[in-house]
Amino acid sequence: MDPITFDGQVAVVTGAGNGLGRTYALELARRGAKVVVNDLGINPDGTGAQSVAADATVQAIVDAGGEAVASYDSVADAAGGAAIVQRAVDAFGTVDIVINNAGYVLDKSFVNISFEDLEKMLDVHLRGAFFVTQPAFRIMREKGYGRLLFTSSSAGLWGNFGQSTYAAAKTGLLGLSNVLAVEGAKYDITSNVIAPIARSRLTEDLLGPMADALDPELVMPISLYLVSRNCDVTHEIYSAGGGQYARSFIAQTPGWFAGKGTHPSVEDIRDHIEEIRNEAGYIVPSDISAESMALLAKLT
C-alpha cells in the first residue's frame, strides 16, 4: 500500500517543544505537512515560559527540509487559542489538523488541592483544548475537512492517586471530543482521543523502571494515523504505549429493566444489582440518541 503522507496539509500541534508533541511535529513535517509548533516553554509543573523549546523543534524541521513556524501563545485563554490558529492561517493559509497535546502534571492528594490548582489545570488542559479547537473547527467546517486529536490520560480513564485535577481535566476532553465527532461528522471532521503512556519531562519521575520502554516515538504512529486522510475513524479513544495499541471505550451494560410503568424500590435495585452490573452484552453508544433508542426499545 502507498505510504501515508500529509502533503499540502497544515497541522497545529500544541506542546510541541518536547516529548510527544515534538515527535508528532517532526514526523508530520517529514511526511509533508506544514506545522505550527506551539509551545509556551513552561516547566513540567506549569510554571515559567520561554521560546527555546518551540524554536528548537522548528529548527529541527527546517534543517530536515520541512516547513514550520513557532507559536509561543498560551492555550489557556481564548485570545491565545485564537492566535495559535491565526498563526497557521497567516503562515500557511488554513488548518487541517489540530493535535491538542499541551499540558502539565500536578501530584497532590485531593484534600491538599487548592481552587487555584484546579483552575490552572482546567485552563491548560480542558479550556486550552477548547480555545484552540473552536477557531480551527470553524475553518474545518467551512472547508469540509478536518482532523482533531485530543490528549487524555489513563489517569482520567481509570484514576490515579494524587491526580484528581489532572484526571478531571483529561476526562473532560473525552466529552469535548465526543461532541465534536458528532457535530463534525457531516463535514468530514473526525475527532478522537489518545491516552498515551510515554516517557516525558512530565512523567519520567512517575514511571519508575518502565520509563526506558516507554519512548514517546512509540505513541506517535497511532496519533498520526488518527489525523491522516487515510483514517475515517471518529468518536473513539485509543491507548498507546511501549509498542501496545488498544481501543478504550465507555460502555453500557444491558442492565435490568424494571418494566414499563413500574416504580422500583431501593430494595429492588439491591436485589438486581448483579444483573445491572453484568457486562455481558454491553453496548458502546455512538451518541446520546443511541442510548435513548435502546431504552425506547424496552419501553415499547
Side-chain angles (χ1 to χ4, degrees), residues 104 114 131 170 187 249 276:
Y104 71 100
S114 69
F131 291 144
K170 286 301 192 183
Y187 302 104
F249 50 86
I276 293 168

Side-chain angles (χ1 to χ4, degrees), residues 208-282:
M210 287 182 62
D212 290 343
L214 298 176
D215 192 316
E217 292 280 352
L218 295 173
V219 175
M220 177 273 296
I222 191 169
S223 296
L224 262 62
Y225 173 71
L226 290 170
V227 297
S228 71
R229 298 182 188 95
N230 304 66
C231 180
D232 58 8
V233 168
T234 191
H235 203 281
E236 295 187 353
I237 307 163
Y238 290 88
S239 169
Q244 174 174 286
Y245 308 92
R247 182 185 173 199
S248 302
F249 50 86
I250 299 170
Q252 182 171 303
T253 72
W256 168 64
F257 181 54
K260 185 177 179 180
T262 62
H263 295 277
S265 67
V266 176
E267 290 75 20
D268 289 326
I269 300 299
R270 176 199 62 199
D271 296 342
H272 292 88
I273 191 62
E274 292 308 317
E275 185 177 352
I276 293 168
R277 295 181 64 243
N278 190 340
E279 297 174 9
Y282 65 79

